């Protein structure tokens, strides 16, 4: 019998209890799934979410792995009481959602959709045909599970896609950069910039005043990564002086974004409430069951976080 503790919040328990149980059965696993325990030493695996009830892993002396329901791990990766492998969520449906959000919002700005959606005023705006995607440069910072999938989707629409990551990548249809020099080279050509980096000590404020200044005049920024990747004051200044044409922001230092935050009222900012993509219950349950099956079979876990790198 494998003991699995669901420590990802009571609201999610209602969503996950049945799909997780089904996935364990399908994976051939004999699991006792519970939402609380009086015998933490007997727990083999914890299904985890950073805003759940658990922050001290010390009593879980028999733990084999923690399976995060989120792709981002910045709130748990530095937990000093956690010494077993931490697996982040890589869910094909989460990836699909991000590809759709990024592709949709890139196309909104590329096609200048707002001009006509908000321009139903009797004025015939001739001469506003958009350029072709092949003449627009999109840069994706972060070429992991999500960034690489988004970059490939944009390349299929024929955008000129460039991407940047810590290690050098080779992705069909995407010009790949790495290193600090690579970041500057990529920013200099970004008509549309998409941030899909994790939040780590190295990436915090990566889009600071100096880096924002490298972007071409009237560039557009999409941030579905993490709020703290951007230096907010520098972005607001760049939006105010017209250097940046628009920022579509899904994630923020403080969430929910406070009602009086200047982003809400700014005419060049679109706020979306951290909905770019989410873990989907059915596919995520399968991913978790598969990882537990691997652990029980003595195979390496998938998607293990590099604690030193922070993601
Ligand atoms: P991932 O697979 O871990 O990919 C991260 C990418 O960032 C990798 O390409 C990595 O480079 C690169 N990277 C990390 N640190 C770097 C650095 N210092 N310099 C340059 N590149 C660096 O993560 P993912 O699954 O794609 O997710 C990315 C982020 O999206 C998550 O961490 C989370 O914050 C965010 N997210 C947001 C939502 C939403 O709804 N808004 C939903 C899910 C996820 P290497 O390839 O060389 O390792």
């Amino acid at each position: 019998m494998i003991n699995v503790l669901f420590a990802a919040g009571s609201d999610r328990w209602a969503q996950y209890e049945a799909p997780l149980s089904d996935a364990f059965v399908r994976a051939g696993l004999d699991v006792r799934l519970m939402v609380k325990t009086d015998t933490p030493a007997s727990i083999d695996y914890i299904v985890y979410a950073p805003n759940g009830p658990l922050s001290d892993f010390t009593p879980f002396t028999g733990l084999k792995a923690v399976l995060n329901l989120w792709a981002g791990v910045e709130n748990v990766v530095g937990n000093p009481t956690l010494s077993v492998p931490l697996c982040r969520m890589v869910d094909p449906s989460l990836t699909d959602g991000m590809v759709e959000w990024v592709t949709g919002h890139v196309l909104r700005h590329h096609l200048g959709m707002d001009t006509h959606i908000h321009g139903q005023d009797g004025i015939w705006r001739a001469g506003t045909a958009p350029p072709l995607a092949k003449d627009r440069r999109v840069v994706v910072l972060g070429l992991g599970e999500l960034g690489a999938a988004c970059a490939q989707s944009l390349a299929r629409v024929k955008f000129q896609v460039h991407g940047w990551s810590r290690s050098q990548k080779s992705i069909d249809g995407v010009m790949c950069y790495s290193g600090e020099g690579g970041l500057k080279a990529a920013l200099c050509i970004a008509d549309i910039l998409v941030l899909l980096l994790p939040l780590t000590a190295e990436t915090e404020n990566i889009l600071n005043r100096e880096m924002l200044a490298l972007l071409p005049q009237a560039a557009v920024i999409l941030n579905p990564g993490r709020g703290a990747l951007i230096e907010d004051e520098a972005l607001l200044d760049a939006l105010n002086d017209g250097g940046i044409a628009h920022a579509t922001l899904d994630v923020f230092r403080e969430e929910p974004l406070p009602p009086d935050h200047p982003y809400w009222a700014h005419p060049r900012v679109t706020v979306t409430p951290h909905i770019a993509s989410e873990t989907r219950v059915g596919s995520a349950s399968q991913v978790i069951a598969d990882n537990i099956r691997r652990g029980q079979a003595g195979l390496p876990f998938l998607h293990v976080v590099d604690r030193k790198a922070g993601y």
Side-chain angles (χ1 to χ4, degrees):
M1 176 71 74
I2 308 161
N3 289 319
V4 177
L5 176 67
F6 187 87
S10 47
D11 46 337
R12 287 200 194 88
W13 173 241
Q15 293 176 286
Y16 273 90
E17 184 182 5
L20 264 180
S21 302
D22 291 349
F24 292 143
V25 170
R26 278 199 305 277
L29 298 170
D30 186 13
V31 169
R32 188 184 312 136
L33 177 63
M34 62 202 92
V35 72
K36 55 181 182 215
T37 180
D38 294 328
T39 55
S42 68
I43 298 297
D44 298 295
Y45 299 92
I46 293 178
V47 177
Y48 187 76
N51 55 358
L54 177 62
S55 57
D56 182 8
F57 294 94
T58 318
F60 298 90
T61 49
L63 201 58
K64 296 173 181 157
V66 170
L67 308 161
N68 204 44
L69 278 186
W70 293 12
V73 292
E74 69 277 8
N75 291 324
V76 58
V77 69
N79 187 321
T81 67
L82 180 58
S83 52
V84 297
L86 168 67
C87 304
R88 57 191 210 88
M89 179 50 65
V90 174
D91 160 23
S93 298
L94 172 80
T95 304
D96 286 348
M98 187 59 80
V99 166
E100 292 173 22
W101 189 92
V102 166
T103 308
H105 283 275
V106 165
L107 283 169
R108 167 194 171 192
H109 294 294
H110 166 66
L111 295 173
M113 287 182 181
D114 291 17
T115 306
H116 304 293
I117 289 171
H118 299 297
Q120 300 294 299
D121 49 7
I123 297 171
W124 185 258
R125 293 180 174 82
T128 53
L132 290 171
K134 70 182 174 69
D135 298 320
R136 181 88 71 185
R137 295 165 304 184
V138 183
V139 171
V140 182
L141 301 188
L143 291 173
E145 291 294 331
L146 303 179
C150 291
Q152 284 172 306
S153 163
L154 294 166
R156 279 193 292 275
V157 186
K158 297 192 182 170
F159 284 105
Q160 288 177 34
V161 185
H162 304 251
W164 180 73
S165 54
R166 207 156 63 113
S167 55
Q168 183 63 34
K169 297 275 183 294
S170 166
I171 302 173
D172 260 4
V174 180
M175 178 78 85
C176 296
Y177 306 76
S178 60
E180 199 188 327
L183 174 61
K184 290 183 175 167
L187 290 177
C188 285
I189 55 161
D191 297 325
I192 300 177
L193 179 69
V194 182
L195 301 184
L196 272 169
L197 292 163
L199 179 59
T200 68
E202 279 186 29
T203 63
E204 184 166 5
N205 284 326
I206 195 160
L207 205 56
N208 54 26
R209 206 169 286 277
E210 183 198 349
M211 294 298 148
L212 281 165
L214 296 176
L215 291 168
Q217 180 66 24
V220 166
I221 295 170
L222 308 185
N223 186 12
R226 281 292 180 264
L229 297 174
I230 299 181
E231 199 184 298
D232 292 316
E233 270 185 29
L235 176 58
L236 283 164
D237 288 347
L239 287 159
N240 287 335
D241 71 21
I244 303 295
H246 200 98
T248 295
L249 308 173
D250 185 58
V251 283
F252 306 91
R253 273 162 213 275
E254 188 184 347
E255 293 183 10
L257 185 67
D260 58 351
H261 195 285
Y263 282 149
W264 281 115
H266 202 289
R268 295 173 189 261
V269 175
T270 301
V271 170
T272 63
H274 201 146
I275 44 78
S277 190
E278 63 178 11
T279 304
R280 307 288 159 155
V281 178
S283 44
S285 296
Q286 243 171 285
V287 169
I288 286 168
D290 190 41
N291 234 350
I292 292 180
R293 184 189 56 71
R294 291 178 66 91
Q296 291 304 107
L299 296 168
F301 292 109
L302 297 176
H303 320 308
V304 177
V305 170
D306 176 343
R307 308 287 284 279
K308 231 169 145 190
Y311 69 99

